[in-house]
Structure formats: structure tokens, C-alpha cells
Amino acid sequence: MGLEINTLAIIPLMTKMHHPRAAESATKYFLTQATASALILFSTTINAWMTGEWTIMNMTNQIPTVILTLALAIKLGIAPFHLWLPDVLQGLNMLTCLILSTWQKLAPMALMMLTSHQLNTNLLIAMALMSTIIGGWGGLNQTQMRKIMAYSSIAHLGWMILVISFAPSLTLLNLLIYLVLTSSMFLMLMTLNSTNTNKLSISWLKTPTLAASMMVTLMALGGLPPTSGFLPKWLILQEMTKQHLGALSALMAMSALLSLFFYIRLSYTISMTSPPNISNSSLTWRKKKNLTYVIPILITMSAAMMPITPTLLLLN
């Protein structure tokens, strides 16, 4: 019921724009989420039929466990069930994209962490590797910022579910850092009013400081040290090598380079690309936004959480 309320509550926000693309996005989102919810119900029903109890904490059989894993993967947009996410985000405004990429991930991820000790580890690892590769590969040729952020989300979710069976606390840490990075990125895009790479290339005319901050956030999303984005990747790779999964760790690290490439390309667009029609004025007109105090805090967190790693690990 909670998942259904969560899904239905965001539909009015999606259709707020009164545009065919928004209606299409809302329909696609509703159908995928309804399918996933039906699969979760199916999984719990099979489990109740086999074990005689309705709790999802005690799934002893493989069939309901696998169905539950697949259902949560559909809800989150993990590969190979990722195809709805870029299309849905492309039809929405930036604020709804922000909610969809952050808040809407919390409930399915909480369920996945709750049942992490009994989920099929091999299936999770396969989906994680596929997500990071597809998340990196899919974003390479994109020019629309919303689609780039969707593929970025797929890749980050891959890192989260990779380690969920071995260390759920690392998944939680990765989720928190992902929420901070994605929120700051979307809020900056909203402030600069940039929906594609062409608009991004004139962002230095609007707010040079914010354009420079966006470069740092992009590097954090790519996982470069000393930004906060490096922290979960480092800890997850360390945990995977402890589990004697060296080859998998190497593949994950190499797939992260795909994502890093398009983040670096965006940074290049912001900093080193001159637009074809340079504005005559030194500053372009823009509306005043009310998010002045939120953005600096999020940017600081996305850039400077690396030194407090031991504290974050103790909190977990």
C-alpha cells in the first residue's frame, strides 16, 4: 500500500505540464510501477503459500525471493529493467525529475536493504555489473541533461546493489551520497535553466561561480578523489576485494570510466566551449530563485565529505 500511495502521489506532479510528453511519461511510469507492485504482491503470496506466513523477512524458497528481487529492480530502474527511466525523466520538468531520482528511490531501496540477507547474490551482482556498464554506455551519446542524469542514476544504483548482500551499511552510505550529489546537480540545472548541453555551454555567462561548482559536482558524480563521490566507490571496491571478487572489482572500476567520460565531456562543455552566439552583455537575464541557501550546502557536501570518512563509517 505504501508503495502504491508513493506511486500515485507523484502522477499529478508529472502531468502538471499539460504536454503530450508529460502524459506519456506519467503513463509509462504508472504501468512499470504497477507491474512491479503486482510482482511484489505475487512474491509475498507465493511465500505465504509455501511457508504459511506473510512476512517478507523469512523467505526460505528461491522462487519468491527471485521475483521480489526482479520487482524491486523494476521499481528502481536497475538494468535490464532500466528502459523506462530515461524516457520518463525526459518528459518531466526538472523539479519532478529531482523527486523521481531521489525521493522515489527510498522506499524500494529500503525494502531491498530489509531483505538483503536473503536475496540471490549472483543475480544482484549480474544486475549491478549490467547497470554500471549500461549506465555508462547509454550516457555517452546523450545531449539532454535529464537523460544523462537518468543514466547516471542507473550506474549509481548498480554500485549500490553490488555490495548490498555483503555490507548493507555501505549501500546506505552510497545512497546518501548519491542523494546529495543528484540533488545538488538538479538544483544547479534548475537555477541555470539548462536542459541540454548547448544551454549548459552558456551557463558561465549566467553564474560563473555556479558553473565552476557544477564542474566539481560532475567530478564527484564520476567518482574522482578528493570529492565525496570517490568515497563509496573506494569502500565498495575494498569490500569486494575482501570477498575475493577481484575480477568483478576490476570490471566495475573500468565501467565507472565510461560514466566518468561523459561527466568530463560535460565539464569541458561548461568550461572550454564558446557558444556560437555569444551574448553581448556580460550577464544574461535570469529569474531569482529561492534555493539560494540550499545549493551551497549541497555543493559543499558533494565536494568535501571525503575527509570525514572514518566518522561516516562509525555512524554506519
Side-chain angles (χ1 to χ4, degrees):
M1 265 189 73
L3 288 168
E4 279 305 291
I5 292 166
N6 195 24
T7 302
L8 293 171
I10 201 172
I11 300 289
L13 287 174
M14 289 178 153
T15 53
K16 188 176 67 173
M17 284 207 306
H18 300 297
H19 192 273
R21 286 301 297 270
E24 183 190 335
S25 293
T27 310
K28 282 179 181 173
Y29 183 74
F30 174 73
L31 290 173
T32 49
Q33 298 298 309
T35 307
S37 298
L39 280 173
I40 291 171
L41 197 57
F42 184 48
S43 162
T44 45
T45 309
I46 291 175
N47 185 54
W49 178 47
M50 287 176 168
T51 61
E53 57 180 68
W54 282 96
T55 55
I56 59 165
M57 291 295 289
N58 189 24
M59 287 190 171
T60 51
N61 198 284
Q62 278 291 320
I63 297 169
T65 311
V66 168
I67 294 171
L68 181 68
T69 311
L70 297 178
L72 292 172
I74 294 168
K75 272 206 168 288
L76 287 164
I78 296 165
F81 310 105
H82 65 284
L83 293 167
W84 62 270
L85 189 57
D87 283 347
V88 165
L89 285 193
Q90 186 54 33
L92 307 173
N93 65 3
M94 282 292 180
L95 183 60
T96 317
C97 286
L98 169 63
I99 296 166
L100 198 67
S101 302
T102 54
W103 187 258
Q104 294 298 100
K105 304 284 186 213
L106 295 180
M109 192 53 85
L111 271 179
M112 201 170 249
M113 287 178 70
L114 193 70
T115 56
S116 60
H117 60 284
Q118 57 200 10
L119 297 178
N120 188 322
T121 309
N122 292 331
L123 181 62
L124 287 174
I125 287 172
M127 287 198 300
L129 187 58
M130 209 182 299
S131 292
T132 47
I133 292 170
I134 288 172
W137 210 295
L140 287 179
N141 208 25
Q142 298 296 335
T143 55
Q144 297 293 327
M145 288 307 301
R146 284 167 288 196
K147 280 197 174 180
I148 287 172
M149 292 307 293
Y151 283 110
S152 165
S153 173
I154 293 162
H156 277 89
L157 286 165
W159 283 91
M160 284 178 223
I161 64 160
L162 176 72
V163 79
I164 199 164
S165 300
F166 308 109
S169 58
L170 284 185
T171 300
L172 182 61
L173 176 67
N174 197 344
L175 179 65
L176 292 173
I177 289 175
Y178 161 78
L179 293 177
V180 169
L181 294 176
T182 309
S183 301
S184 61
M185 193 66 202
F186 270 117
L187 289 172
M188 281 190 276
L189 290 171
M190 283 161 62
T191 308
L192 295 169
N193 199 18
S194 301
T195 51
N196 55 36
T197 48
N198 287 340
K199 286 184 182 175
L200 206 61
S201 64
I202 57 161
S203 58
W204 62 273
L205 284 170
K206 297 176 182 176
T207 319
T209 317
L210 203 60
S213 306
M214 190 183 277
M215 287 172 62
V216 177
T217 310
L218 283 165
M219 293 302 101
L221 279 166
L224 281 186
T227 56
S228 307
F230 176 65
L231 169 60
K233 286 186 171 63
W234 163 40
L235 294 172
I236 287 168
L237 289 176
Q238 187 182 5
E239 181 63 34
M240 298 314 285
T241 44
K242 279 182 192 171
Q243 302 291 338
H244 306 291
L245 294 165
L248 181 67
S249 303
L251 281 170
M252 290 295 289
M254 284 165 69
S255 66
L257 294 175
L258 289 169
S259 298
L260 183 60
F261 177 80
F262 66 76
Y263 295 131
I264 288 175
R265 198 189 67 193
L266 286 174
S267 300
Y268 173 79
T269 306
I270 294 167
S271 60
M272 297 183 187
T273 310
S274 297
N277 49 341
I278 297 173
S279 172
N280 293 324
S281 62
S282 59
L283 288 172
T284 54
W285 287 98
R286 64 194 186 277
K287 289 188 290 185
K288 186 171 167 48
K289 303 282 181 182
N290 297 323
L291 302 161
T292 323
Y293 304 109
V294 180
I295 296 174
I297 296 164
L298 286 171
I299 292 168
T300 310
M301 286 175 72
S302 61
M305 278 167 73
M306 184 83 183
I308 56 166
T309 307
T311 314
L312 292 171
L313 289 174
L314 282 173
L315 288 173
N316 277 330

